[in-house]
Amino acid sequence: RRVVREHANPLRVVVVGGGFAGLAAVRGLRDAPVAITLVDPTGFQVFQPLLYQVASGVLPPQNVASAHERLTRRQGNLSVVQAEVAGFDAGSREVVTVDGLGQEARVPYDILVLAAGMHSTVGPNTTWAEHALSLTTLEDAAAIRNQVFARPGVGGRPGPVVVVGGGPTGVELAGALAESDAHAVDGSDVLLVEAGPAVLPSYPEPLRRAATEELRRRGVQVHLGAPVTDITPEGLVVGATTMPARAVLWAGGARVRPVVDTVAQELGATTDRQGRIVVAPDLSVPDHPDVFVVGDAAAMVGVPPLAPAALQTGAFAARVISARARGAQPPEIFRYLDRGSMAVVTGEHAVGVLGPGLVRISGPVAKALWLGVHLYYLPGAANRAATAVRWAGRLARHSDSSRLALAG
């Protein structure tokens, strides 16, 4: 039940996007003298770091999704609008929305927080997207699961599952599919194709090597220095080699969502190659102090497009806005606290860098830490409990399989 707080002439804050950054901004403004409108087309937050586990059949969709109304039900200064952003008018300070029934509305703001994030884009050729699957939404995860686990002759086509891109998403997806409980897939059915010389290119070399060895130990065929030159209805072309594929899963790149392009064009903002808006030290758009960009949509030197950065930028923007609303001196410079990064390779193996690259870990210890961190950040007590039970059962089955293999 919401407890409504009344403030005389509250500052109108519109937050576009209900992911990590958007919700961090909303929560940070809980006690501020502002009236918040959260605009998001889905009505729920998807815990993106675990989306690959939905795609690989490890977790059901409901374990990684939480309704915005439930997550913010006690916040009295918040209204939630489930709609797409169809336009943006900087002159009149209005966001144009369209709901599921096609009804258009204009939402006025004094301050806009753009937290729309990024989505996967399939290659440089727009036709590739017709023959490959990417992973950004729950619908994407369901499509991957349906195509990957369809047996040849029963809705599926012959060939292996090919994951394109050796970053964290590609490595995690390939490893999870190789260990799938479904009999339609085993390790030898999974190929990981990376154009560069190594997987996990942002990690130190020993961790890159450990991840590659673990994937190969599980049967994943890892192809390095293998740029994709075409994707067809039957598979893909790597260099000059044609590879048939049951499914092509694209994990090779991302770009901002269309609403970010719309805002950038309206404001005349500077963007990077992925369309992210270059922001000032306080996360506002230069020359537009009433517009903040947080999370993956923001481009700042030294701030990676990761969930911890999204949480921190959203919370910082909230502190700036709250100070302004109270007539206080706002903080001027966002400083990212680098707690490190981790990637799961297989059910018993992960790699990670803790802090600003000072501590490197791999193996079961890293996996245990990864499990704990993700359970901690997963929204909703019911989701955490259900996920913990699923993971415990999966670990037990893998442990039994390992013992049987050793005994044999």
Side-chain angles (χ1 to χ4, degrees), residues 71-312:
L71 293 174
T72 62
R73 64 185 180 276
R74 298 182 185 277
Q75 188 159 343
N77 62 350
L78 172 68
S79 299
V80 178
V81 175
Q82 186 174 341
E84 293 275 4
V85 173
F88 169 71
D89 190 333
S92 62
R93 288 186 172 181
E94 290 180 322
V95 173
V96 182
T97 65
V98 176
D99 64 17
L101 299 176
Q103 298 295 315
E104 184 177 295
R106 302 180 77 88
V107 184
Y109 68 85
D110 297 307
I111 293 181
L112 175 68
V113 180
L114 184 60
M118 305 179 78
H119 65 124
S120 296
T121 54
V122 180
N125 190 327
T126 55
T127 63
W128 291 11
E130 300 173 8
H131 313 304
L133 300 172
S134 58
L135 184 58
T136 302
T137 66
L138 284 174
E139 290 78 12
D140 293 338
I144 288 174
R145 188 170 56 187
N146 291 340
Q147 184 164 335
V148 164
F149 297 130
R151 293 180 180 276
V154 192
R157 65 194 189 200
V161 176
V162 180
V163 180
V164 180
T169 299
V171 167
E172 291 174 341
L173 188 55
L177 289 172
E179 295 186 318
S180 170
D181 293 330
H183 297 298
V185 177
D186 61 32
S188 61
D189 287 329
V190 181
L191 275 68
L192 178 61
V193 176
E194 165 57 37
V199 301
L200 301 177
S202 64
Y203 284 69
E205 194 278 332
L207 298 184
R208 298 197 298 264
R209 185 174 63 253
T212 303
E213 291 173 354
E214 177 66 13
L215 287 171
R216 286 174 170 158
R217 188 175 73 85
R218 293 291 183 176
V220 177
Q221 301 176 50
V222 181
H223 295 261
L224 302 175
V228 174
T229 55
D230 196 12
I231 299 178
T232 69
E234 293 76 31
L236 72 168
V237 180
V238 178
T241 303
T242 299
M243 292 183 176
R246 177 188 311 185
V248 178
L249 312 183
W250 187 270
R255 181 177 169 75
V256 296
R257 296 180 185 277
V259 63
V260 182
D261 289 323
T262 299
V263 172
Q265 184 175 2
E266 176 73 13
L267 298 179
T270 301
T271 60
D272 67 6
R273 288 188 311 166
Q274 296 172 293
R276 299 184 301 168
I277 296 176
V278 177
V279 295
D282 68 349
L283 303 181
S284 66
V285 178
D287 301 322
H288 297 279
D290 57 334
V291 179
F292 290 82
V293 186
V294 296
D296 294 352
M300 286 191 79
V301 175
V303 182
L306 299 175
L311 291 168
Q312 292 179 40

Side-chain angles (χ1 to χ4, degrees), residues 280-352:
D282 68 349
L283 303 181
S284 66
V285 178
D287 301 322
H288 297 279
D290 57 334
V291 179
F292 290 82
V293 186
V294 296
D296 294 352
M300 286 191 79
V301 175
V303 182
L306 299 175
L311 291 168
Q312 292 179 40
T313 54
F316 180 87
R319 291 199 296 273
V320 175
I321 296 167
S322 181
R324 286 190 193 176
R326 291 186 168 93
Q329 179 65 34
E332 297 179 350
I333 300 176
F334 170 74
R335 291 183 173 85
Y336 174 57
L337 176 59
D338 186 358
R339 295 188 174 93
S341 59
M342 303 189 73
V344 165
V345 184
T346 60
E348 299 173 356
H349 192 102
V351 296

Side-chain angles (χ1 to χ4, degrees), residues 27-78:
R27 291 178 177 128
L29 293 168
R30 176 189 297 273
D31 298 317
V34 299
I36 312 165
T37 302
L38 173 63
V39 181
D40 188 276
T42 65
F44 52 84
Q45 180 192 10
V46 175
F47 192 71
Q48 293 278 350
L50 294 182
L51 202 53
Y52 81 94
Q53 294 205 359
V54 178
S56 58
V58 176
L59 293 176
Q62 63 268 25
N63 281 23
V64 302
S66 302
H68 292 141
E69 288 283 1
R70 184 174 182 81
L71 293 174
T72 62
R73 64 185 180 276
R74 298 182 185 277
Q75 188 159 343
N77 62 350
L78 172 68

